Amino acid sequence: MAFKRLAASLASVVLILALGTLIPRGGPGDGAGEPPTRTVLVLSNAIHTDIALPLDAETRGVFGFVRESGLAIDQSGAEWLVLGWGGEQFYVRTPTWADLEMMPVIRSILGDRSVLHVALSGPIDPDAPFATRIVLSETDFSALRASILAGFQRRENGAPDILEGTGYGLFDRFYRAKGDFQVLFGCNTWTGQVLREAGVTTGIWTPLPFLLRASLDLHN
């Protein structure tokens, strides 16, 4: 009897995840009719996804506030701006699996304040196994940037609220973000949400990277 209940519970979880991937959810997509000319990347590992924006002049201007934190956004070797959202304790304190600690994991499960991670990157192969290429119109690309930018928590002077002294190295920083992190609506659902603001269709609920990628392949 216990085995049957366990099997039924597992089947229910699989069904919910499958439906979350298969049921499409689209966004406003104000760039309908425009040619798709702007490539962005969804970068993924086993548990997390980021969005990589090409560092053109306008993106450097929109995210120019990172210069104040010491990120050399204007250097010629910087080709992509990589952005991700997550829970403060786990995200900030776990740059690698070797740094994994129990308390940040518990905070992720119970709920945590959220942060945005901003990093500079050199060349990224759009066809790499960890990358999913998405091509947007100019209008939808601008909407994606605006959606990400709107997620930064601001100080009284209007500047994004940086978490001083945080980052994995010389080329990244953490900022306080709007909203709270919940494990069932975490980094991967955030990625899906901002993509939908740019008119990209995803699954209605994709809490894991492979589910988000599968939904992008299925619905676009």
Side-chain angles (χ1 to χ4, degrees):
M1 184 64 70
F3 175 78
K4 289 183 178 179
R5 286 198 295 267
L6 177 60
S9 297
L10 291 175
S12 297
V13 170
V14 171
L15 177 61
I16 291 170
L17 292 175
L19 290 175
T21 303
L22 294 171
I23 298 174
R25 184 178 180 185
D30 294 331
E34 293 182 21
T37 58
R38 305 304 302 272
T39 296
V40 302
L41 303 176
V42 175
L43 309 178
S44 60
N45 59 30
I47 64 170
H48 179 78
T49 51
D50 290 310
I51 294 178
L53 304 179
L55 266 176
D56 59 11
E58 189 172 356
T59 298
R60 284 184 165 93
V62 169
F63 293 93
F65 58 85
V66 302
R67 296 184 188 93
E68 298 177 8
S69 65
L71 285 184
I73 195 171
D74 299 307
Q75 65 177 307
S76 58
E79 297 186 16
W80 297 88
L81 190 69
V82 181
L83 303 113
W85 184 89
E88 180 179 335
Q89 291 297 313
F90 186 88
Y91 208 174
V92 172
R93 294 171 59 178
T94 317
T96 70
W97 287 113
D99 300 295
L100 185 65
E101 300 175 357
M102 184 57 66
M103 282 308 299
V105 173
I106 293 173
R107 286 295 300 272
S108 292
I109 295 171
L110 298 180
D112 196 4
R113 293 176 296 187
S114 64
V115 293
L116 276 158
H117 185 231
V118 182
L120 302 178
S121 174
I124 301 174
D125 181 2
D127 298 316
F130 57 82
T132 299
R133 184 202 306 253
I134 298 172
V135 185
L136 303 173
S137 69
E138 189 67 42
T139 296
D140 289 337
F141 179 67
S142 296
L144 176 62
R145 276 193 312 222
S147 179
I148 294 171
L149 193 63
F152 285 85
Q153 196 173 116
R154 302 278 176 165
R155 296 176 174 174
E156 290 184 2
N157 63 2
D161 192 5
I162 188 170
L163 275 171
E164 300 290 349
T166 60
Y168 300 152
L170 297 176
F171 304 106
D172 70 300
R173 299 291 186 272
F174 283 96
Y175 293 79
R176 291 183 174 86
K178 296 177 182 177
D180 293 325
F181 177 90
Q182 300 291 335
V183 69
L184 296 179
F185 297 93
C187 55
N188 305 302
T189 56
W190 174 85
T191 302
Q193 176 186 331
V194 295
L195 287 174
R196 289 191 294 273
E197 291 294 322
V200 179
T201 300
T202 73
I204 195 169
W205 182 59
T206 52
L208 297 171
F210 79 93
L211 296 175
L212 176 60
R213 294 184 67 173
S215 78
L216 290 170
D217 290 339
L218 179 64
H219 301 302
N220 297 278

